Structure formats: structure tokens, C-alpha cells
Amino acid sequence: GEESLTIFVDKRKLSKRSEGSDPGTNSSAVTLETLHQLAASYFIDRDSTLRRLHHMQIASTAIKVTETRTGPLGCSNYDNLDSVSSVLVQSPENKIQLQGLQVILPEYLQEHFVQAALSYIACNSEGEFICKDNDCWCQCGPKFPECNCPYMDIQAMEESLLRISETWNAYNNEFKLFMKRLPMNYFLNTSAVMHLWTMDSNFQRRYEQLENSMRQLFLKAQRTVHKLFGLSKRCHKQPLIRMPRQRSSNYWLNRIQSFLYCNENGLLGSFSEETHTCTCPNDQVACHGFLPCMVGDGPACLSCAPDNRTRCGSCNAGYMLSQGLCKPEVADSTEHYIGFETDLQDLEMKYLLQKTDRRIEVHAIFISNDMRLNSWFDPSWRKRMLLTLKSNKYKSSLVHMILGLSLQICLTKNSTLEPVLAVYVNPFGGSHSESWFMPVNENNFPDWERTKLDLPLQCYNWTLTLGNKWKTFFETVHIYLRSRIKSNGPNGNESIYYEPLEFIDPSRNLGYMKINNIQVFGYSMHFDPEAIRDLILQLDYPYTQGSQDSALLQLLEIRDRVNKLSPPGQRRLDLFSCLLRHRLKLSTSEVVRIQSALQAFNAKLPNTVDYDTTKLCS
């Protein structure tokens, strides 16, 4: 047979020993000189040489030992090296040639001799060497019950695992250094920690190196564990092994939070971001630290209080500070500035409108250059009339809401005329061009209701009821009265309307028309222009800290409630600008500035949607 020992050496990892030092000072140090000495002593004292090489291989990654033995007999129990073929059974000094003795001995002794020789060499005479089913072991004698258990090798591997664990724990300290650089004046969720992590390029580079080192450590620990279990498979007591576990970035993020917020009184707990609580060791509560306030957008704090980090010190736009928390800002009641509602319930209002009750009549001034009330006139031409309140002159502390309109129109007997009414509403004053057309009988808008009166003439009450659904602001109501001629169609079942000027027979009597009265129904509401001017003044000259936001919030509330009462259409009318322009007498540039400030403030508020409006007032 043959026997060989091969040692593969990584010279970069060898220990560099200074000249003149004692080679025996450090038995675990691997030097080239030591390896040469061990290789030379292999055939003199194989067992102790292999044991030393084995320990060196476990303790260092500098060498890899391969022992190859080929011959006619058995297997080796020294399977802790990387590769072992079969075993050559002979003495180190070649004094006993097993093959020769086999030839000399009689045949009936040969098998017993080989068995005894293997037991002597492989089991140190502590048991009987047995091979069965491709596995060999020592059947221990009663005095050596642990002959199959190489305690020295197992202990060396356990010490190696312990050193791996210590190195693993030392790597964790890198995160403690990173934590010292984290801000402590506000709460850090995992996203915030991850952001700071990615912003720290030095720490990222060290983390990548750390990750690679830990991966190598883990693989080395796995190999050591496999060898350890192989050695101890026939020991009475199996080793208890705690393997270091690979960690993901999420683990480290939570670990960092635990160090920050669950690390009091020398106890380290586990932090839960979902519940903002700590789970302490042994179900204690002593590891709980103080959680700083959360800084962010919306209801989160803008900053924490300097004297108490658990409470908010300031809030984002649209939120106000209340008992250390940020709550949505709600505008104070605008009733002090302008009223919007009446005390009448919907059913009460509907009943009063049906009865055209004078208690809800708004007394307006009738003006017309084309006609007079209770006087007959020729309806061939368009007649223009208006009802105005002249609020700036007589009622500067009131704004007015229109709920309905009523006219009493009379025609001469047998007249074929049909009145046609067009209504324009001016919300807060100004020129006629700043009025909007009332879309009667369009898009579910109410239509005129005609009721015949019990009078000798052809008199009708024309009533337009808006009610709460279509009510809106008004200062002046412009009414245009035109007439058309009603005639039967060619089939007799339909009516055809002609304009009076287009009628073919000018000698035909068109009759006359008169309007007995016109009434506007609605109610008047409180309006304080000086108080609103004071709010506007605070946009540039706030009284106190936060009063500017409060003023903007109230102006925004007034703007939205005023514009909400605009007439039906694809886009709302900008009634608020009309209010500023005509009731507060502000210039166009001031109105534009206020609207821009409100739009910018509204964009900062949470959960708000701005809307486009159509310009009405210049």
C-alpha cells in the first residue's frame, strides 16, 4: 500500500514570525517553518502530527490537509480531515509489515490478527474495530465507554464556534456607532431610519463589508457544525449548538428602534412600530423609554416641544396645537361677518312662498323708464324694469337672499298676446353686465307658474319659486318683458308664436298689458364689512402669531360659502370677488391679491380640493 500527506497552504494568511523568537511560544500560530517540521514528523509520530494539523486547520483558514492511504485493509476513523481514502496498516517505523505477517501466519489466524491490529491502531485498544454497511466504528470495551467520542477534536470545534459567535457579536457594535449619529429630538420610524441609512455613504460601505464578512462567518460556522455532528454521532451526549443567524436589513431597522426606544435600566426590549410599545424581557416594563413626537406632514408635528419631546411644539399649516397634539384647524363661526341661514325651516318657507306671504317679502325699489306699475302700455316693444335694494346707501349692514319672484300681469280682453320674461340677477351691485341670467326651465331649474285671478280682465299671477335649493344672493333683479302672439297652427292642434313686429296683419288689435305689482321674496342677513376688512388687514399685519392663518381660514370659509350659492352651471360663479369689489369697495388689484393668498393657503391645507370659478365682476 501507499500513504501520503498533502498540505495546501495559503501563504497570504500565514503568521509572520520575527527571527529569533521561540517557535513553541504560540502553538496555534501557523508558520511555514512549523508546517515543514510537522510534515517531516508525520511518518515518525503520525497520530500526534495529524492531531496538531487538525487543530491548525480548524483554527485557521491558512491550510487544508489531505491524508491519502491506500492498501488492502479497512477504513480510517480519522474522518475529520477533508478527504481520506482507505488505510494502510503498518507501524510508523516500518518495523512491522502487516502484509508480511499475514503471509507468515496460518490462515485461521490471519483474520483474527487483522482484526486485532485494526482495533489496536484505530481504537487505541479501547474497543473492537467493526465495519458494517459502509460505516466503521469502535465497539467500546466496558472500561472505555466513550472510545468513539474524540473529545479533544469536539472541544476544538466548539471553541472555534465560540470564537465565530464572539466575532458575530462584535459586528453588531457597528450599528451602535451609527445610532449615536441619529437625531433624538423626534420619533424615527423605519422609513426615516432607512432614509438616514441611505444618506450615510460611509455606513453603507461598512455595512456591505460587514454583510460579506458575516456571510463568510456563517458558511464557516455551517462547515464546523457539520464536522462537529460527524464527530459526535456516536457520543452519548450530543453537542448543544447555537448557530448565528443571518440578519436582513429589516431586522437591523427594528433593532435600531429597539435600542433607541426600549433600552432603559440596562434592559433591551423589542419595539413594535404598529403599536408603539416595547416588549421587555421577562414581561417587565422597565425597558420602556420616552417616545418622541412624530414629525411629518398633515396631522403629525412640525417639531417637538423642546421641554417635552413627547408632545408637539408646532404644527403644519391647517392644524392647530391643542394639549400637545396637532388637530385640524376649523374656522370660527363666520356669522359675525356674514349670515347665510334663516330661522325658517324648509316646509315653513315652502308654505310661505306658496301663499306669497308678505312676511318673507324683501321690499325693493321699482325702477323703469319704459312703463309704470298699474298703467296700461303697448307691449309691442321690449320693456325693461328692475327691482333694486341700494344696500350700500340704505342697508350697508345687510346682504339679501332671493327665494322667489312674483308678478301680476293683466291683458285686455280677447288679447292674443303671451308675455315672455327674462330675468337677470345682480348679486352685490355694480353694472348690469355683472349680472347672471336665470336659466328658467333649464337643467331642472324651476319654471314660471301661472295662476289665473278671478278678475274681469285676463289677469295672471306669474310666480317663480327658487326655495332653499336654488336660493342665491341678490342686490338687483333685472326683468325684461317681451310679448309674442299665440296662434293656432295649420293642424289646429299646436300653437305657433309670432313676434308682434313680425305679425303679418298690422291692423289686428294686439291689445294692451299692465303689471299691477312685482314682489321679491327672500330674507336679509347680517353683514359686517368692517369686520371683514379687519380680517383682510391681518393678512399683512397679523395681530399675534397664528392670527394670519386664522384670518385666512375664515376668509376661505366665507369665500366657499358665498360661491356655493352661485347659480347652476358647469362652473361656479366667482360671487366672492363681487362681494369684495362692490360691498367692501376694494380695488381690482386688492381683490386679485386676496384671491391669490387664499388659493396658496388652500393648497397647503390637508384633504382640500380647489375649484375653478367663472369671473362675473370686473
Side-chain angles (χ1 to χ4, degrees):
E2 294 179 356
E3 183 169 5
S4 66
L5 175 73
T6 308
I7 305 173
F8 298 93
V9 181
D10 185 349
K11 290 187 178 181
R12 293 171 301 176
K13 297 182 181 179
L14 288 177
S15 299
K16 294 182 180 180
R17 183 168 53 82
S18 59
E19 292 182 4
S21 62
D22 185 5
T25 53
N26 188 0
S27 60
S28 64
V30 181
T31 63
L32 199 59
E33 184 181 347
T34 307
L35 293 176
H36 278 298
Q37 291 174 357
L38 287 172
S41 64
Y42 173 74
F43 290 102
I44 300 171
D45 186 1
R46 187 188 67 179
D47 289 342
S48 61
T49 301
L50 277 179
R51 186 170 287 105
R52 284 192 65 188
L53 285 172
H54 178 212
H55 289 171
M56 284 183 180
Q57 179 177 287
I58 293 171
S60 169
T61 57
I63 65 170
K64 179 181 177 183
V65 181
T66 301
E67 183 191 29
T68 305
R69 292 180 243 158
T70 58
L73 299 174
C75 303
S76 171
N77 69 329
Y78 220 97
D79 58 355
N80 50 356
L81 294 175
D82 290 313
S83 63
V84 175
S85 300
S86 58
V87 63
L88 172 69
V89 182
Q90 64 180 26
S91 68
E93 298 86 4
N94 287 333
K95 291 181 180 178
I96 302 174
Q97 292 292 338
L98 186 58
Q99 184 70 31
L101 286 175
Q102 282 180 284
V103 175
I104 296 170
L105 292 173
E107 188 174 347
Y108 71 92
L109 288 177
Q110 285 181 6
E111 184 178 352
H112 294 290
F113 173 77
V114 170
Q115 184 72 34
L118 285 172
S119 299
Y120 174 78
I121 295 170
C123 301
N124 295 321
S125 298
E126 294 178 353
E128 186 180 348
F129 190 76
I130 297 175
C131 289
K132 186 178 181 181
D133 298 331
N134 296 320
D135 189 16
C136 297
W137 67 95
C138 296
Q139 187 172 351
C140 301
K143 293 183 179 180
F144 307 100
E146 294 288 342
C147 69
N148 279 308
C149 195
Y151 282 112
M152 296 294 290
D153 299 336
I154 290 173
Q155 185 179 358
M157 289 188 181
E158 286 178 340
E159 288 173 0
S160 176
L161 272 181
L162 185 62
R163 285 193 296 274
I164 290 173
S165 298
E166 289 171 355
T167 309
W168 190 274
N169 293 331
Y171 286 158
N172 294 351
N173 294 329
E174 184 67 35
F175 288 91
K176 293 180 181 177
L177 297 175
F178 170 66
M179 282 187 294
K180 290 180 180 178
R181 298 191 294 272
L182 294 178
M184 303 293 289
N185 57 340
Y186 60 89
F187 176 77
L188 296 174
N189 57 17
T190 50
S191 300
V193 176
M194 193 65 193
H195 175 71
L196 294 169
W197 182 323
T198 53
M199 294 296 288
D200 193 334
S201 56
N202 291 330
F203 176 70
Q204 268 193 305
R205 188 165 54 252
R206 289 195 300 273
Y207 176 73
E208 288 175 5
Q209 295 171 353
L210 173 69
E211 212 173 21
N212 292 331
S213 301
M214 294 179 84
R215 195 178 295 114
Q216 295 299 325
L217 267 182
F218 184 74
L219 292 175
K220 184 178 179 182
Q222 275 189 320
R223 289 196 299 268
T224 304
V225 167
H226 290 157
K227 291 178 181 179
L228 187 57
F229 274 114
L231 285 176
S232 60
K233 63 182 179 180
R234 298 195 183 278
C235 296
H236 292 301
K237 184 181 179 182
Q238 294 296 311
L240 183 62
I241 297 169
R242 293 183 65 181
M243 277 282 288
R245 190 172 57 182
Q246 288 180 300
R247 310 298 192 187
S248 65
S249 58
N250 287 334
Y251 167 83
W252 291 118
L253 291 174
N254 179 259
R255 190 74 169 170
I256 289 169
Q257 284 185 315
S258 300
F259 273 113
L260 290 174
Y261 308 125
C262 304
N263 191 20
E264 294 293 321
N265 301 316
L267 296 172
L268 178 62
S270 176
F271 182 75
S272 170
E273 190 170 339
E274 289 77 14
T275 60
H276 274 229
T277 56
C278 298
T279 303
C280 300
N282 304 321
D283 296 329
Q284 298 182 29
V285 293
C287 72
H288 282 266
F290 291 104
L291 286 181
C293 74
M294 291 190 68
V295 172
D297 299 327
C301 308
L302 184 63
S303 65
C304 299
D307 57 337
N308 186 354
R309 287 181 300 164
T310 63
R311 298 164 69 90
C312 294
S314 59
C315 300
N316 294 297
Y319 292 87
M320 62 180 183
L321 190 62
S322 174
Q323 297 180 349
L325 300 174
C326 289
K327 297 181 179 179
E329 257 185 346
V330 179
D332 295 334
S333 174
T334 57
E335 293 299 321
H336 172 62
Y337 305 99
I338 181 172
F340 291 95
E341 303 298 336
T342 177
D343 295 334
L344 293 174
Q345 302 295 321
D346 287 352
L347 289 176
E348 292 176 318
M349 190 177 293
K350 188 175 181 181
Y351 175 78
L352 294 173
L353 282 171
Q354 284 175 348
K355 299 296 182 182
T356 61
D357 196 298
R358 287 189 172 273
R359 284 178 292 179
I360 58 170
E361 182 182 356
V362 180
H363 297 285
I365 301 169
F366 176 82
I367 300 174
S368 176
N369 293 327
D370 300 333
M371 51 160 289
R372 293 181 180 180
L373 292 177
N374 290 314
S375 296
W376 294 99
F377 56 87
D378 181 1
S380 300
W381 303 94
R382 185 188 73 170
K383 299 294 183 290
R384 177 185 173 186
M385 65 200 93
L386 60 88
L387 293 166
T388 185
L389 297 168
K390 295 188 179 293
S391 296
N392 283 329
K393 186 175 182 181
Y394 300 113
K395 304 173 183 178
S396 61
S397 63
L398 296 174
V399 288
H400 313 280
M401 200 76 71
I402 183 171
L403 294 170
L405 186 64
S406 177
L407 295 85
Q408 191 179 107
I409 303 175
C410 294
L411 302 169
T412 53
K413 212 166 189 180
N414 299 323
S415 173
T416 55
L417 289 178
E418 180 81 11
V420 179
L421 298 170
V423 180
Y424 291 82
V425 178
N426 185 301
F428 298 109
S431 66
H432 174 56
S433 62
E434 297 172 325
S435 304
W436 56 271
F437 174 70
M438 195 173 278
V440 175
N441 199 27
E442 293 179 12
N443 298 324
N444 298 321
F445 199 84
D447 194 6
W448 289 101
E449 296 177 10
R450 289 185 296 176
T451 308
K452 194 172 186 318
L453 301 176
D454 188 14
L455 293 173
L457 301 172
Q458 295 186 63
C459 292
Y460 293 87
N461 258 349
W462 286 61
T463 305
L464 181 64
T465 304
L466 304 180
N468 262 336
K469 183 177 181 181
W470 304 106
K471 68 181 179 182
T472 185
F473 292 102
F474 88 101
E475 175 66 22
T476 303
V477 178
H478 300 266
I479 303 172
Y480 292 87
L481 172 63
R482 299 170 62 224
S483 300
R484 58 187 178 181
I485 298 168
K486 184 178 180 181
S487 177
N488 291 331
N491 299 329
N493 295 329
E494 58 183 5
S495 297
I496 299 176
Y497 294 96
Y498 301 95
E499 295 295 330
L501 295 179
E502 296 173 356
F503 194 71
I504 299 171
D505 186 4
S507 63
R508 184 171 177 179
N509 178 23
L510 300 177
Y512 289 90
M513 187 182 296
K514 72 173 180 176
I515 297 177
N516 291 335
N517 61 62
I518 303 177
Q519 293 174 293
V520 179
F521 297 100
Y523 55 91
S524 299
M525 297 162 296
H526 166 74
F527 176 66
D528 190 344
E530 292 303 322
I532 297 180
R533 285 193 191 97
D534 188 60
L535 274 181
I536 294 169
L537 189 64
Q538 290 186 58
L539 302 188
D540 298 319
Y541 307 102
Y543 295 154
T544 59
Q545 185 179 4
S547 65
Q548 185 184 49
D549 286 356
S550 178
L552 282 165
L553 203 63
Q554 287 185 307
L555 284 172
L556 202 61
E557 178 75 6
I558 294 171
R559 183 199 74 171
D560 292 344
R561 293 195 70 179
V562 168
N563 288 344
K564 193 176 180 181
L565 293 168
S566 67
Q570 290 184 346
R571 296 172 68 178
R572 294 179 181 177
L573 294 178
D574 186 7
L575 301 184
F576 181 66
S577 291
C578 298
L579 178 74
L580 298 177
R581 186 82 180 84
H582 298 300
R583 294 306 302 271
L584 271 70
K585 300 298 183 182
L586 299 181
S587 65
T588 305
S589 60
E590 286 178 308
V591 172
V592 170
R593 184 177 65 86
I594 292 166
Q595 289 281 32
S596 299
L598 291 178
Q599 193 170 6
F601 179 73
N602 190 59
K604 297 177 184 177
L605 296 179
N607 305 321
T608 55
V609 179
D610 212 348
Y611 53 88
D612 295 326
T613 55
T614 302
K615 187 177 178 182
L616 180 64
C617 299
S618 62

